[in-house]
C-alpha cells in the first residue's frame, strides 16, 4: 500500500496500532476484506484521514468490482449473440 509506505509504516505496524490482525490488514490491502465502519474509525484514529474517506474508498472499490463483473457478463452475452443465426433484413 503506497499510502503506508509514504508514512513509513508497514502492514504489521498498522495492525498493531489499530488492533486489527496482520491478516485482516493484509486482506484489506489486497481487496479481499471490506473496510467496515469500525475499521474505518480505527484507520481514522491511526492514519488521520476521516472515517468517511475510508468508507468512500470501500464504496468506490465495491462499485468497480460490480462494474467489472457486469462487463464480463455482457461480453459473455455478446459471444452468445454472435452465434445466433440472424435472417437478412428485407
Amino acid at each position: 500500500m503506497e499510502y503506508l509506505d509514504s508514512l513509513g509504516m508497514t502492514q504489521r505496524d498498522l495492525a498493531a496500532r489499530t488492533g486489527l490482525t496482520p491478516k485482516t490488514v493484509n486482506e484489506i490491502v489486497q481487496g479481499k476484506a471490506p473496510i467496515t465502519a469500525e475499521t474505518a474509525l480505527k484507520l481514522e484514529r491511526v492514519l488521520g484521514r476521516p472515517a468517511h474517506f475510508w468508507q468512500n474508498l470501500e464504496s468506490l472499490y465495491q462499485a468497480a468490482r460490480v462494474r467489472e463483473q457486469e462487463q464480463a457478463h455482457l461480453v459473455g452475452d455478446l459471444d452468445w449473440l454472435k452465434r445466433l443465426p440472424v435472417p437478412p433484413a428485407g
Side-chain angles (χ1 to χ4, degrees), residues 8-40:
M9 190 182 300
T10 66
Q11 290 183 24
R12 198 166 281 286
D13 294 334
L14 182 61
R17 292 179 187 188
T18 57
L20 299 168
T21 67
K23 179 182 176 186
T24 298
V25 170
N26 184 263
E27 288 177 346
I28 290 170
V29 168
Q30 292 185 21
K32 295 179 180 178
I35 297 175
T36 64
E38 181 181 350
T39 300

Side-chain angles (χ1 to χ4, degrees), residues 2 26 28 33 52 69 71-72:
E2 294 173 20
N26 184 263
I28 290 170
H52 67 84
Q69 291 169 351
Q71 182 67 28

Side-chain angles (χ1 to χ4, degrees), residues 3-76:
Y3 189 71
L4 287 180
D5 292 340
S6 72
L7 297 173
M9 190 182 300
T10 66
Q11 290 183 24
R12 198 166 281 286
D13 294 334
L14 182 61
R17 292 179 187 188
T18 57
L20 299 168
T21 67
K23 179 182 176 186
T24 298
V25 170
N26 184 263
E27 288 177 346
I28 290 170
V29 168
Q30 292 185 21
K32 295 179 180 178
I35 297 175
T36 64
E38 181 181 350
T39 300
L41 287 171
K42 290 178 180 185
L43 293 173
E44 176 183 79
R45 281 188 225 110
V46 172
L47 300 174
R49 295 272 192 146
H52 67 84
F53 171 82
W54 302 108
Q55 290 176 302
N56 188 44
L57 282 180
E58 177 65 26
S59 179
L60 292 170
Y61 174 72
Q62 293 301 331
R65 285 185 61 203
V66 169
R67 202 173 288 114
E68 287 175 7
Q69 291 169 351
E70 287 179 352
Q71 182 67 28
H73 183 73
L74 289 173
V75 167

